[in-house]
């Protein structure tokens, strides 16, 4: 397959720097076909990995009761969070390796490692072996390399749009997992679920090698993490994604058990998750439009955090009937989906200069730390103080996030200069 550098329209450097091109072509609001193909394929790979994480959440705390070690809620939390521990340790390494060795081989290797972890978890019929499988899954931490690859294959003026597509793909994978996991679990069990995720990961290797366009070998640039970490607005987003995923993981230690104790078997949990996720996705669209098109990013983000806080507080105080839990989950997931779709795009906008890769690496790392903390600390709280303690602890974290986010600067609006020929 020819290098994109041989095709002027596909090379971001040539797009932004060629004096022979008119301003209209330079600042075209539409992605080229290769850019769109690359972004959709890589966003799909990103979503697949998140699907492997999310699929376990709606059913695992109930399934764990049936295997050795599953009566220990702390171990259940470790199994949910172990994935995030190894991810957080390896994101930066994968980004560095992809700079040195090329994006495709590093992403393909990471997907194969992820698949191996899935198969180990599939054949493991004890909590210990599932934890081992989850640790290996997390070792396939290719998200930073995927983000860098998208940056390689898209022009600067399309970068934010591409990152937003990645954020949206995460939200879609979450919705698919939450609705589909109970059904798949009912059909094939937890082993079959892990096997399915492993097979999809192997298929994704083919997508990387034969569908994603080639790009010039990246030039390695030392990641200036100090510069990224000094950016206060990025620090707010990093703290936010840590809290978002810590509270999400902790929530799914408790909610499946609440639904089951309310008389809804695991195989029927989709009857709650499907309308909740469907309605929350429909309702989030006006919020995303207001944030991106009308410059209302700050009030939308702060409002979404408020929805998550309200949902957590209600889960800790309201009676746990099926209908009340479904209504509360709608409030929670409306806020969650807005944040999951918009925050990666905002990281790309706020990253200083050419530091988007470093900013994305730090963001992904703190996300994984949140996943790990939510599983481990949530499991400990549930074991020692009960489910309501989990919800109130999460509420305290989200309240701190809300205070921090309320002081954020108004983010820059989406580039409107395109029509005026500005950068």
């Amino acid at each position: 397959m020819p290098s994109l550098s041989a095709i002027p329209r596909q090379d971001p450097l040539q797009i932004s720097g060629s004096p022979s091109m008119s301003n209209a072509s330079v600042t075209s609001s539409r992605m080229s076909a290769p850019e769109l193909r690359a972004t959709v394929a890589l966003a799909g790979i990103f979503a697949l990995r998140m699907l492997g994480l999310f699929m376990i959440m709606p059913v695992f705390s109930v399934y764990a009761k049936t295997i050795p070690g599953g009566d220990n809620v702390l171990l259940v939390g470790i199994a949910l969070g172990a994935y995030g521990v190894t991810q957080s340790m390896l994101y930066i390494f994968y980004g560095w390796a992809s700079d040195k060795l090329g994006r495709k081989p590093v992403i393909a290797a990471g997907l194969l490692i992820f698949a191996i972890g899935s198969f180990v978890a599939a054949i493991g019929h004890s909590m210990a072996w599932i934890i081992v499988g989850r640790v290996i899954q997390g070792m396939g931490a290719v998200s930073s390399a995927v983000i860098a690859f998208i940056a390689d294959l898209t022009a600067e003026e399309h970068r934010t749009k591409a990152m937003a597509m990645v954020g949206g793909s995460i939200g879609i994978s979450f919705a698919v997992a939450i609705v589909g996991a109970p059904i798949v679990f009912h059909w094939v069990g937890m082993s079959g679920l892990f096997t399915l995720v492993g097979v999809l990961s192997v298929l994704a290797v083919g997508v990387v090698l034969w569908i994603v366009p080639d790009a010039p070998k990246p030039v390695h640039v030392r990641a200036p993490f100090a510069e990224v970490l000094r950016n206060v607005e990025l620090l707010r987003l990093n703290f936010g994604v840590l809290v978002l995923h810590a509270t999400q993981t902790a929530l799914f230690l408790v909610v499946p058990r609440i639904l089951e104790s309310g008389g809804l078997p695991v195989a029927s949990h989709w009857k709650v998750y499907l309308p909740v996720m469907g309605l929350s996705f429909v309702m989030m669209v006006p919020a995303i439009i207001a944030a991106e098109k009308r410059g209302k990013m700050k009030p939308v983000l702060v409002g979404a955090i408020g929805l998550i806080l309200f949902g957590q507080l209600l889960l800790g105080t309201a009676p746990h009937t099926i209908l009340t839990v479904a209504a509360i989950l709608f409030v929670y997931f409306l806020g969650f989906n807005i944040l999951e779709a918009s925050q990666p795009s905002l990281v790309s906008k706020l990253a200083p200069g050419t530091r988007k890769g470093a900013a994305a690496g730090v963001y992904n790392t703190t996300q994984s730390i949140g996943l790990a903390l939510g599983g481990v600390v949530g499991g400990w709280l549930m074991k020692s103080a009960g489910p309501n303690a989990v919800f109130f602890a999460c509420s305290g974290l989200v309240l701190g996030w809300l205070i921090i986010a309320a002081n954020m600067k108004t983010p820059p609006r989406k580039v409107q200069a395109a029509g005026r020929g500005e950068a």
Side-chain angles (χ1 to χ4, degrees):
M1 186 178 292
S3 170
L4 288 182
S5 61
I7 307 173
R9 176 145 179 86
Q10 298 171 17
D11 186 344
L13 294 177
Q14 292 183 13
I15 290 175
S16 61
S18 174
S20 63
M21 287 188 175
S22 67
N23 284 340
S25 64
V26 171
T27 56
S28 172
S29 61
R30 292 186 178 183
M31 286 181 163
S32 67
E35 283 179 315
L36 186 60
R37 186 180 75 181
T39 301
V40 169
L42 290 169
I45 291 165
F46 201 109
L48 173 66
R49 289 191 62 263
M50 298 307 292
L51 187 69
L53 165 67
F54 294 143
M55 286 288 274
I56 192 176
M57 287 184 173
V59 296
F60 188 70
S61 66
V62 174
Y63 164 75
K65 299 176 186 178
T66 66
I67 60 175
D71 55 342
N72 187 330
V73 183
L74 178 57
L75 287 181
V76 176
I78 290 172
L80 285 175
Y83 183 102
V85 174
T86 43
Q87 278 195 131
S88 65
M89 294 169 63
L90 291 171
Y91 269 137
I92 294 171
F93 168 77
Y94 270 85
W96 172 85
S98 73
D99 286 339
K100 288 287 189 180
L101 305 175
R103 310 294 188 210
K104 282 193 173 186
V106 169
I107 294 172
L111 288 170
L112 289 175
I113 292 170
F114 179 84
I116 291 169
S118 301
F119 296 139
V120 169
I123 63 175
H125 296 289
S126 69
M127 191 59 62
W129 273 109
I130 289 178
I131 290 173
V132 170
R134 295 287 284 172
V135 167
I136 298 172
Q137 275 188 324
M139 291 172 66
V142 297
S143 297
S144 56
V146 171
I147 292 293
F149 205 4
I150 290 174
D152 292 341
L153 294 171
T154 54
E156 179 67 28
E157 62 267 24
H158 298 147
R159 194 77 38 77
T160 296
K161 188 186 301 181
M163 298 303 173
M165 290 173 69
V166 171
S169 75
I170 296 172
I172 292 171
S173 70
F174 182 73
V176 170
I178 295 304
V179 174
I183 300 172
V184 176
F185 176 74
H186 177 65
W187 288 343
V188 298
M190 185 60 69
S191 294
L193 197 155
F194 275 123
T195 300
L196 175 63
V197 170
V199 170
L200 290 174
S201 185
V202 172
L203 293 176
V205 174
V207 174
V208 172
L209 297 178
W210 298 302
I211 295 180
V212 177
D214 289 326
K217 189 177 186 300
V219 177
H220 179 61
V221 179
R222 291 182 61 189
F225 292 106
E227 182 178 348
V228 170
L229 293 175
R230 284 195 297 264
N231 188 304
V232 174
E233 300 308 317
L234 287 176
L235 286 174
R236 295 185 206 275
L237 293 171
N238 293 336
F239 180 75
V241 78
L242 184 149
V243 173
L244 182 66
H245 285 269
T247 55
Q248 176 211 39
T249 306
L251 181 143
F252 276 103
L253 280 170
V254 185
V255 167
R257 297 184 180 215
I258 291 175
L259 294 176
E260 189 183 45
S261 65
L264 194 66
V266 174
S268 298
H269 285 190
W270 66 270
K271 296 178 181 178
V272 169
Y273 295 138
L274 180 59
V276 163
M277 295 304 296
L279 187 59
S280 65
F281 262 97
V282 171
M283 295 297 291
M284 85 168 185
V285 171
I288 296 297
I289 292 174
E292 290 287 350
K293 301 290 187 182
R294 300 176 185 172
K296 304 293 185 182
M297 181 66 78
K298 180 178 177 178
V300 167
L301 288 181
V302 171
I305 298 168
L307 289 174
I308 288 178
L309 175 59
F310 189 47
Q312 291 279 4
L313 287 172
L314 286 177
L315 284 170
T317 57
H320 289 160
T321 67
I322 299 298
L323 287 178
T324 57
V325 171
I328 295 168
L329 287 177
F330 164 72
V331 173
Y332 174 87
F333 283 121
L334 178 57
F336 180 92
N337 289 332
I338 291 170
L339 291 161
E340 196 76 318
S342 58
Q343 284 201 132
S345 171
L346 195 53
V347 169
S348 177
K349 287 181 180 179
L350 295 177
T354 59
R355 310 314 187 189
K356 289 179 173 60
V362 174
Y363 180 83
N364 289 333
T365 299
T366 52
Q367 179 189 58
S368 292
I369 292 172
L371 292 168
L373 287 176
V376 175
V377 177
W380 174 77
L381 280 172
M382 189 171 174
K383 181 180 179 181
S384 59
N388 283 346
V390 175
F391 296 131
F392 291 134
C394 289
S395 298
L397 270 177
V398 177
L399 177 60
W401 178 18
L402 182 62
I403 293 169
I404 290 171
N407 293 312
M408 72 186 293
K409 294 180 181 178
T410 300
R413 294 190 65 169
K414 226 176 158 182
V415 178
Q416 295 182 348
R420 300 192 301 268
E422 299 175 14

